[in-house]
């Protein structure tokens, strides 16, 4: 049996799409939290999907295997690059848009 990956979703706006897909694959992943700014949409997603909301990297539980960073890139006025490169091990995927 394969170990389920502990996953955190960073960003709740478009990140909600990732949440929906990840939650369908409970055989492969365990979504352990949402990292967001604590805005209305983040709070709603946390409640809707019954997933803890964290507003600071320092609050995150240990043992996270994968962070899905789904926030706007700097070129679009967001913090995507800063968030994804401000961690010692990260996987960065930027969609061409």
């Amino acid at each position: 049996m394969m170990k389920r990956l502990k996953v955190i979703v960073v960003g709740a706006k478009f990140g909600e799409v990732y949440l929906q897909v990840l939650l369908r694959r409970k055989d492969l992943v365990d979504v352990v939290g949402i990292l967001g700014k604590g805005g209305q949409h983040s709070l709603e997603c946390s409640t809707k999907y019954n997933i803890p909301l964290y507003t600071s990297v320092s609050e995150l539980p240990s043992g996270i295997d994968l962070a899905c960073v789904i926030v706007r890139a700097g070129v679009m006025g967001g913090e995507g690059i800063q968030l994804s490169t401000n961690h010692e091990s990260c996987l960065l995927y930027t969609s061409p848009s």
Side-chain angles (χ1 to χ4, degrees):
M1 180 177 226
M2 189 174 166
K3 175 191 166 208
R4 289 174 46 201
L5 296 175
K6 290 184 179 182
V7 178
I8 187 116
V9 173
V10 183
K13 288 183 183 170
F14 191 68
E16 184 174 8
V17 175
Y18 282 69
L19 278 173
Q20 292 170 353
V21 172
L22 290 167
L23 290 171
R24 285 189 221 142
R25 295 308 313 254
K26 291 184 178 187
D27 58 320
L28 298 175
V29 299
D30 180 16
V31 180
V32 297
I34 299 167
L35 177 61
K37 292 183 178 180
Q40 184 67 32
H41 194 74
S42 297
L43 292 167
E44 289 171 0
C45 283
S46 175
T47 301
K48 179 178 180 179
Y49 299 105
N50 195 30
I51 298 171
L53 173 63
Y54 302 97
T55 57
S56 171
V57 172
S58 64
E59 297 174 340
L60 295 176
S62 62
I64 295 172
D65 298 305
L66 177 66
C68 297
V69 181
I70 312 104
V71 296
R72 290 180 187 230
V75 71
M76 299 296 293
E79 302 176 53
I81 296 297
Q82 293 87 352
L83 287 171
S84 61
T85 58
N86 197 13
H87 193 273
E88 56 199 43
S89 64
C90 69
L91 173 64
L92 175 63
Y93 170 77
T94 306
S95 64
S97 56

